[in-house]
Structure formats: C-alpha cells, structure tokens
Amino acid sequence: MNLLEHTSNWVKGEVAQGKIMVTIALVLLFTVVAIWKSDQHFLRGMLIPLTLVVLAIGGYGGFQLFGRPGHVNKVQEVYDRSPEEALQMEYDKATKDDKTYTRLKPIWAGLMIVCLILYLVLKEESCQGLVIGLAVLFLSVLLLDTTLHHRLKIYLTALQNLMS
C-alpha cells in the first residue's frame, strides 16, 4: 500500500468513529433533557458535566464526519507535487498527535481519580453528582482518546514502514 491508501484507511476509521460518537451524543442528549426535568439533586449536579460530554463527543464526532474526509484531498495535493514531502508531512503530524495522546491519557485518568476521591469527601448530593459527572466526562475523553490513539498508532506504523 502507498501513502494515499493508508491515509484513506485511517480517515475511513476516523469517520466511522465520528458516526458512533454523534450517535452516542444524541442518546446522551436525551439523558441530559431527562435530568433537566428531574428533581433529584444528585442527577442535577451531573447536568453540566454531561452537557460537556455531549458537546465534546458530538463536536469532535461532527468534526470527524465532516472535516476528516477533506484530509485525504490535502494529502493528495501534496503527494502530487512531492510524494516524499507528503509522507514527511503526515509522519510529522502523526508523531505530534501520538505525543499529545500519550501525554493526555494519564491526565484524564488522574482527574478521574481526583473526582472519585472528592465524591467520598463531599456530602452534598449535588456536589457528589457534579464530581461523578466530571468523572464520567474524564472517562469519556479517556476512552475517546484511547480509541483515536489506537488507530493513529496503526497509521503511524504504516507511515514508518513507508519511510524505511
């Protein structure tokens, strides 16, 4: 396979994940609406973090759906001028993204643990709901980053093989 085939496969995976993310965001949106109508303080405390989950997953999923397909065209343009330049450009981008994912995952996990500790310390139901909601937010972002990183690693390995 050449660079364009690998890039196309990576983009197809990103778009598929985007579809899943938008679907999950829509389901969670119904949950947010149900919580909004609820009188339970614990659930009301989760309202803001769950809204952030909907925005994060839905927003990035939408970007995956509508923004990623154009990436293949950008790579194609550079590839037509210079295949080596296109390969280096993609390798540099994938390496940078790999480092970002590697740095962020422990941060999300740490914030999730902090939230769970705060849950044990706080006694007010709305505050407990808030920190559990934040833990769900951080877990969501951790899972999202982990799946994106997994697919990126496959792409990065393919790029490394093309460079050697």
Side-chain angles (χ1 to χ4, degrees):
M1 276 204 262
N2 68 20
L3 172 63
L4 296 175
E5 292 169 327
H6 286 298
T7 302
S8 179
N9 287 339
W10 174 70
V11 166
K12 286 177 187 175
E14 296 281 293
V15 169
Q17 183 167 345
K19 290 176 184 177
I20 293 168
M21 290 165 58
V22 168
T23 302
I24 291 170
L26 289 173
V27 170
L28 285 175
L29 183 60
F30 290 115
T31 304
V32 167
V33 170
I35 290 173
W36 180 267
K37 295 179 179 182
S38 168
D39 289 331
Q40 294 184 353
H41 293 289
F42 181 81
L43 292 176
R44 295 294 298 251
M46 294 179 71
L47 193 59
I48 292 172
L50 287 181
T51 301
L52 292 173
V53 171
V54 169
L55 292 174
I57 292 176
Y60 198 72
F63 167 74
Q64 300 279 81
L65 278 173
F66 301 109
R68 282 290 185 222
H71 184 74
V72 176
N73 296 333
K74 290 177 188 174
V75 174
Q76 176 74 51
E77 287 175 17
V78 176
Y79 188 83
D80 289 342
R81 284 193 320 262
S82 170
E84 295 82 18
E85 181 184 341
L87 179 58
Q88 188 64 50
M89 177 185 80
E90 281 302 286
Y91 179 77
D92 291 345
K93 178 190 176 311
T95 302
K96 179 181 153 225
D97 291 348
D98 178 59
K99 287 178 184 174
T100 300
Y101 287 131
T102 301
R103 288 183 190 139
L104 284 176
K105 286 191 282 186
I107 293 170
W108 300 137
L111 288 171
M112 197 170 45
I113 291 168
V114 168
C115 287
L116 295 175
I117 292 169
L118 284 172
Y119 173 78
L120 297 173
V121 173
L122 298 172
K123 300 300 178 204
E124 188 178 326
E125 282 186 9
S126 60
C127 290
Q128 287 179 326
L130 176 65
V131 295
I132 289 298
L134 288 171
V136 169
L137 171 64
F138 298 135
L139 176 63
S140 300
V141 178
L142 176 64
L143 292 173
L144 174 65
D145 281 356
T146 300
T147 56
L148 291 169
H149 193 201
H150 174 72
R151 193 171 29 267
L152 180 70
K153 283 182 183 179
I154 294 168
Y155 182 51
L156 185 56
T157 300
L159 294 174
Q160 289 168 337
N161 290 338
L162 288 173
M163 292 184 88
S164 54

